[in-house]
Structure formats: C-alpha cells, structure tokens
C-alpha cells in the first residue's frame, strides 16, 4: 500500500517561508525530504502569513485587506506599542502571550477568516507547525480533527516520518 500523505506546513510568523525552509533543510525540498524519510508519496501544501516563491499555490493569510477589525482597533489604540515595551521583560512576554496580540492568536484569527486555508487544513493527514506562531493553528485544527497528526518543527517532523510513516514491506 503506497498511499500518499497530505502534509500541510503551517508558518505563522511573518518570516519568509523560503528562508525558514532553507535554514532548516539547506537546499533540499521539504516535500522531497519527507518523501525520502517515509518512503511514501507526499503532497505538500503551505499555509503561511507571508507569500512564498517556492510555493505560489500556498494559502497566504497575512494580507492587510484580511486584517480583522479587532486587530486594526488594537493597533489604533496603541496596544502594539505596549506589546513592544512588554516584550523586553519576562513577565511582559508572558502577558503578551496571553493577550490578543500574540502572533499565534493573530495568525489563528486570520486563518479562520480564509475558507481556502481552513479547507487545506481540514484535508491534511499531517500538520507541521514550522514556527511557534503556527502551533496554535495546528493544535486547534487537531482538536477539531483528532485523526490528523500534528508536529512542531521540521527536524522533529523528519524524525517522526522516518519511523511512524515509513512504508513497511511484508515478505
């Protein structure tokens, strides 16, 4: 049985997706690395905050037009400046992570507004939260669909693929 795996890489930070993949994998393709590790056909899709040159078909959720009203209001009243000040202190970082400006919360709200992103996440067999800001989206998606596997980080995902998803051949 050589079934293909639908893998969705989720990138919640505004970092360039191509740069994230290059720094983690060198020049190799994530799709090729996952296929090599598992011995199976892998179909990779990307849901990200920023556009990617290598994945032009990916779903980009971080556009100014898609910004929710709540995010615009928080920006207007100076909450973004306050977040920057708080970010300098450990207690402030904790407060930021619990508030509405936390990047993982902002990304999750943006994903929920995009039906194409939600559809891609629902169709996945495996979710890969590439960065910390993507963890909430992977976690919430997995809560709604417990049959999907979710992992954090590219290196750990490659290790799991080598063991869990490897094709077994029966003699």
């Amino acid at each position: 049985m050589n079934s293909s795996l639908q893998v969705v890489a989720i990138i919640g930070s505004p970092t360039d997706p191509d740069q994230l993949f290059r720094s983690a994998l060198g020049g190799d393709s994530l799709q090729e690395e996952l296929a090599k590790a598992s011995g199976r056909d892998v179909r990779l899709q990307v849901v990200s905050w920023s556009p990617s040159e290598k994945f032009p078909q990916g779903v980009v959720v971080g556009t100014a037009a898609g910004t929710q009203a709540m995010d615009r209001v928080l920006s207007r009243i100076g909450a973004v400046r306050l977040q920057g000040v708080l970010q300098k202190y450990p207690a402030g970082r904790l407060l930021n992570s619990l508030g509405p400006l936390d990047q993982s919360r902002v990304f999750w709200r943006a994903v929920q507004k995009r039906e194409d992103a939600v559809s891609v996440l629902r169709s996945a067999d495996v979710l890969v939260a590439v960065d910390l800001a993507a963890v909430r989206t992977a976690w919430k998606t997995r809560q709604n669909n417990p049959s999907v596997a979710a992992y954090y980080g590219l290196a750990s995902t490659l290790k799991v693929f080598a063991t869990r998803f490897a094709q077994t051949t029966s003699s």
Side-chain angles (χ1 to χ4, degrees), residues 10-13 47-50 59-71 100 102-119 121 133 136-137:
I10 308 167
I11 305 168
S13 66
V47 175
S48 65
W49 187 261
S50 304
V59 180
V60 178
V61 298
T63 60
T67 306
Q68 283 195 329
M70 183 169 120
D71 297 322
D102 175 53
Q103 183 61 35
S104 66
R105 292 175 195 272
V106 172
F107 183 67
W108 173 241
R109 286 194 302 267
V111 166
Q112 287 178 299
K113 295 288 279 182
R114 295 286 306 264
E115 191 57 43
D116 51 349
V118 172
S119 175
L121 292 171
R136 179 179 304 277
T137 300

Side-chain angles (χ1 to χ4, degrees), residues 3-123:
S3 62
S4 67
L5 288 172
Q6 301 285 6
V7 178
V8 177
I10 308 167
I11 305 168
S13 66
T15 307
D16 176 23
D18 300 326
Q19 182 182 355
L20 281 174
F21 291 135
R22 263 193 314 274
S23 67
L25 302 170
D28 299 332
S29 156
L30 178 59
Q31 185 170 354
E32 290 170 6
E33 288 294 315
L34 293 173
K36 190 181 348 174
S38 66
R40 296 169 75 173
D41 180 36
V42 172
R43 295 197 181 139
L44 178 67
Q45 292 185 290
V46 176
V47 175
S48 65
W49 187 261
S50 304
S52 166
E53 288 181 18
K54 287 189 178 181
F55 298 98
Q57 75 283 8
V59 180
V60 178
V61 298
T63 60
T67 306
Q68 283 195 329
M70 183 169 120
D71 297 322
R72 289 191 303 267
V73 168
L74 288 169
S75 180
R76 276 275 202 215
I77 63 172
V80 174
R81 277 192 308 256
L82 177 60
Q83 181 190 31
V85 171
L86 291 174
Q87 195 65 29
K88 297 175 185 174
Y89 308 99
R93 286 191 290 276
L94 175 62
L95 284 173
N96 282 342
S97 72
L98 300 173
L101 288 174
D102 175 53
Q103 183 61 35
S104 66
R105 292 175 195 272
V106 172
F107 183 67
W108 173 241
R109 286 194 302 267
V111 166
Q112 287 178 299
K113 295 288 279 182
R114 295 286 306 264
E115 191 57 43
D116 51 349
V118 172
S119 175
V120 166
L121 292 171
R122 283 185 184 148
S123 69

